[in-house]
Each structure stands twice: as structure tokens, then as C-alpha cells.
Amino acid sequence: MTSDSDRSATYWFFKGARGITSLPAIILMSAFVGFCGFAVEAGVPLGEAVFMTGMIWALPAKVLLVGSILAGVSLPAAFITVALSSIRLMPMVAALIPEIRTEKTPTWLLLLLSHFIAITAYVFTMERIRDVPREHRVAFFAGFGMTVTTANIILVAVIYSTVANLPAMVAGALFFLTPVYFLTSIWASTRDRAGHIAMIIGLGLGPLFHQIAPEFDILYAGLVGGTLAFFIDRFWKAGARS
């Protein structure tokens, strides 16, 4: 009987690719239907929506970019907003890469695969990677990440025109999938109390800053919410130690 370590990298690549039928992948694809409706509503052309799906591989970042387009914010403000939202992926990269690389894994390959690291890919891989032989973990992650990305690119390309012709109520319901996925996945993947506090404060401050500075509402809500959450969490820990 063939052991797991004796199986080829191709086997493990397709083993990861089969994760497209997993619940996290299906939820993500459903959320991309909502993103597609959002892009249509914002007037983002088909080609740009498809390009955005493949190149900005984090759904919240895409939502923020399209939201910035709708708000008519300047390019630097949109850039800063998307960049700050993507910084949250750095700890995921730092945690996942040591789990999948070997001494022989080329750096260029790790840099390439880091593009596919987002919440869904991170959670899916970290839950299963210990059952994969180390020498085949890169292939496993590549299979899942590349397959999910490709599937969502095709999904957006196929469904774009359909979403544009849907009744407003149905399109609105599909769009609602995106913030639901965004909130639930971020909340579930946050491991510390400060992250949860920041989300709660940010959600509360969002409408306020939208009235005060609509061009920078998301940016301000994130900065203020995150800063307050940091100090609240430190105060909380200091009180627990005393």
C-alpha cells in the first residue's frame, strides 16, 4: 500500500485542488457572486472586475477598492485604504510559509504562492496541512489556492452579465453575501480580543465618519477603531494582572 510520503507532488496538488468543494471555498464563491453584483452596481467594467478578482486576491480589499470608486475618493486615498486592509494578511503569510516550505523550496515560488494567501486559503490549509508530508505541502497549497482563484475568476466572468439583469431585490441579496462573508470570516479568524474590539468599534464609527468625511470613512474608522481597541485591550490586560 502506497504511503502518503510516497505519493507524487501532482497527487497532492490535485488533493488540494479538490478543496474547491469544501464549505469554505463554496462560501467564498457565493461571496464573489455578491462582489460581482457590487462591481456591476459601481459601474466597474467586466474586464476590470475579472482582472481585479485575479490580481487583488483578498475579497475585503476588492470591496474596499470598489467602495472607494463609488465614493469618488482620490487614487492615493484608495491606495492607502486597500494597502492597510491587506496588511492584516502579513501575519497569515508569516504563519503559513514556515509550515509549507522546505530547505529546497525556491524563494520565488514562495513569493508567488504568497499571492494566494487570504483568509479562506489560510484557514483551509492550516486545518489540513499537518496531514500532508512536508515535501508536498507547497504542492497541496498551490493546488487549493490556484484552483480557488481560477474558479472565482471564471465565476465573475460568467455571472457578470447575469447579475446585471437580475431584479434589484435579488441583486441586493447577492450583494449582501459579500459583507456577511467579510464580517464572519474576519471575526472567526481573529484570535485575540483586540481584533474583536476593533471590529465592533469600527462598525459603530463607520456611519459616523461617512457623514463627516465620506472620502476617508473606512480609513478613519479602521485607524480610530484599531487604535482604541489596542489601548482598551492593554487596559483590560493590566487590570487583569493587578
Side-chain angles (χ1 to χ4, degrees), residues 42-230:
V44 177
L46 170 60
E48 293 181 11
V50 172
F51 180 79
M52 193 183 301
T53 302
M55 296 307 296
I56 307 176
W57 186 233
L59 185 56
K62 283 188 274 288
V63 172
L64 289 173
L65 179 57
V66 175
S68 298
I69 293 172
L70 275 175
V73 304
S74 62
L75 182 59
F79 171 80
I80 293 172
T81 301
V82 174
L84 288 176
S85 78
S86 299
I87 288 174
R88 66 191 170 80
L89 301 177
M90 290 180 63
M92 298 183 196
V93 175
L96 181 59
I97 291 299
E99 293 291 331
I100 66 175
R101 72 180 177 186
T102 66
E103 294 181 355
K104 298 180 180 179
T105 308
T107 301
W108 67 265
L109 180 57
L110 294 175
L111 291 173
L112 175 65
L113 292 180
S114 66
H115 173 70
F116 303 101
I117 298 178
I119 292 174
T120 301
Y122 174 80
V123 172
F124 176 88
T125 305
M126 292 299 281
E127 286 179 347
R128 297 163 175 79
I129 201 66
R130 299 193 184 282
D131 297 327
V132 180
R134 177 166 285 276
E135 63 270 22
H136 297 310
R137 290 180 179 181
V138 167
F140 179 83
F141 175 74
F144 180 76
M146 295 173 68
T147 301
V148 171
T149 304
T150 303
N152 282 297
I153 290 173
I154 295 172
L155 177 69
V156 170
V158 171
I159 232 167
Y160 184 92
S161 59
T162 304
V163 171
N165 296 322
L166 286 175
M169 184 65 71
V170 176
L174 291 174
F175 165 66
F176 193 65
L177 290 172
T178 300
V180 167
Y181 171 79
F182 176 36
L183 291 174
T184 55
S185 59
I186 292 292
W187 184 274
S189 65
T190 300
R191 296 289 182 252
D192 55 74
R193 180 174 51 211
H196 291 142
I197 297 172
M199 285 189 65
I200 294 171
I201 296 176
L203 286 171
L205 292 177
L208 174 63
F209 282 120
H210 183 71
Q211 299 298 322
I212 298 173
E215 291 188 358
F216 299 94
D217 52 357
I218 298 175
L219 177 60
Y220 288 161
L223 285 174
V224 175
T227 302
L228 289 176
F230 173 77

Side-chain angles (χ1 to χ4, degrees), residues 17-26 144:
R18 285 200 291 272
I20 192 67
T21 60
S22 65
L23 183 60
I26 293 173
F144 180 76

